[in-house]
């Protein structure tokens, strides 16, 4: 089956602009998470959505926001871009199973954002 | 404050030998641990996991060991192959606290397997 699809794969923006990234999860996966990857920092959790509701949020400023649609597709938005926002933004989807069963995140290839 | 630490940014190993990647954590609420592998221009792919009720989990050439008292886990790859060359991320989640999908990742270790 198709994996997690992220668009666009690459984009360049200038400081002060905003950007919207899109993520289509694996069919049947209702949980979508977003992570930011920067060199030397690993993956930093941004937020997680399930059934169109944000359930968890990481330690990022309010310029970072997201949403999930009824078909589980998700978007994240970064407003007033700063140079430090240059990163690889990864989306991951997972099944939501009965309590007691751990889930595994399946990641997309990411959207590489460069802020000039 | 990094709750999951991978202190070795890089590791080089000869083909056929054992690769050992290490990871330390500080949050005692973590009860589920995973390793992901990442190739350039691709997203991380799940490799192996272990829950805190176990101290070892094996899958083919990959074995993860968990030492809860030391808050340390390691990934062993035996034998190492050139195709294993990638960045390996350790990740942890607090499943029992409901944050299994809010994983905390280490900064990664670049493994290079030399032919």
């Amino acid at each position: 089956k198709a994996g997690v699809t992220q668009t666009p794969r690459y984009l360049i923006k200038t400081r002060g602009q905003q950007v919207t990234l899109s993520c289509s999860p694996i069919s049947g996966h209702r949980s979508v998470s977003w992570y930011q990857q920067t060199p030397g920092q690993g993956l930093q959790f941004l937020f997680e959505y399930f059934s169109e509701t944000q359930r968890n949020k990481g330690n990022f400023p309010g310029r970072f926001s997201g949403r999930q649609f009824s078909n589980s597709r998700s978007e994240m938005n970064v407003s007033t871009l700063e140079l430090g926002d240059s990163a690889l933004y990864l989306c991951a989807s997972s099944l939501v199973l009965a309590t007691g069963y751990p889930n595994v995140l399946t990641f997309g290839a990411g959207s590489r954002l460069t802020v000039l | 404050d990094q709750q999951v630490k991978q202190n070795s940014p890089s590791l080089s190993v000869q083909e056929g030998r054992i690769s050992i990647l290490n990871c330390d954590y500080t949050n005692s609420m973590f009860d589920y641990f995973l390793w992901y592998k990442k190739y350039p221009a691709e997203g991380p792919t799940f490799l192996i996991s272990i829950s805190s009720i176990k101290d070892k989990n094996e899958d083919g050439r990959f074995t993860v060991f968990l030492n809860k008292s030391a808050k340390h886990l390691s990934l062993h790859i035996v034998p190492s192959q050139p195709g294993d060359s990638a960045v390996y991320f350790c990740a942890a989640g607090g499943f029992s606290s409901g944050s299994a999908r809010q994983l905390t990742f280490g900064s990664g270790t670049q493994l290079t397997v030399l032919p």
Side-chain angles (χ1 to χ4, degrees):
Chain A
K1 56 184 174 181
V4 178
T5 304
Q6 292 188 246
T7 57
R9 289 294 310 277
Y10 303 91
L11 66 166
I12 300 174
K13 293 284 187 178
T14 56
R15 279 181 299 174
Q17 287 187 309
Q18 72 159 13
V19 66
T20 298
L21 308 177
S22 180
C23 172
S24 293
I26 291 174
S27 178
H29 286 194
R30 294 168 62 195
S31 171
V32 174
S33 303
W34 289 89
Y35 288 80
Q36 180 197 64
Q37 185 190 4
T38 52
Q41 292 295 315
L43 281 70
Q44 306 289 321
F45 174 77
L46 281 156
F47 25 64
E48 186 229 347
Y49 286 88
F50 175 71
S51 291
E52 303 176 63
T53 301
Q54 185 182 91
R55 298 207 301 179
N56 290 295
K57 189 177 192 306
N59 189 25
F60 278 83
R63 299 185 297 107
F64 292 80
S65 63
R67 59 177 176 169
Q68 186 181 34
F69 302 95
S70 58
N71 61 358
S72 294
R73 192 177 69 84
S74 178
E75 289 180 348
M76 69 162 282
N77 183 278
V78 188
S79 62
T80 319
L81 284 167
E82 301 176 358
L83 295 179
D85 297 333
S86 294
L88 180 68
Y89 290 89
L90 292 160
C91 168
S93 72
S94 68
L95 290 170
V96 177
L97 304 176
T99 302
Y101 204 98
N103 302 318
V104 172
L105 297 178
T106 302
F107 284 87
S111 293
R112 183 163 296 282
L113 170 66
T114 301
V115 182
L116 302 177
Chain B
D1 176 35
Q2 278 191 299
Q3 298 186 62
V4 177
K5 295 181 184 179
Q6 294 177 256
N7 292 316
S8 298
S10 63
L11 174 68
S12 291
V13 172
Q14 287 293 133
E15 181 179 3
R17 304 295 292 270
I18 184 171
S19 295
I20 300 176
L21 296 97
N22 294 302
C23 178
D24 297 296
Y25 63 96
T26 58
N27 190 338
S28 57
M29 295 298 290
F30 290 147
D31 53 17
Y32 179 50
F33 305 89
L34 310 91
W35 285 93
Y36 279 83
K37 177 171 72 173
K38 187 178 185 301
Y39 293 117
E42 296 182 12
T45 55
F46 170 73
L47 200 53
I48 193 169
S49 65
I50 188 168
S51 71
S52 59
I53 61 172
K54 293 186 171 183
D55 54 19
K56 176 183 174 181
N57 189 26
E58 196 170 352
D59 184 2
R61 296 186 297 114
F62 302 92
T63 303
V64 56
F65 294 92
L66 175 62
N67 182 333
K68 289 187 289 293
S69 60
K71 293 190 175 66
H72 177 83
L73 65 157
S74 61
L75 174 68
H76 292 210
I77 306 174
V78 184
S80 301
Q81 299 173 353
D84 296 330
S85 297
V87 177
Y88 288 78
F89 290 99
C90 166
F95 185 75
S96 60
S97 62
S99 61
R101 289 176 297 281
Q102 180 178 340
L103 296 178
T104 301
F105 283 81
S107 54
T109 296
Q110 171 69 57
L111 173 66
T112 303
V113 180
L114 305 168

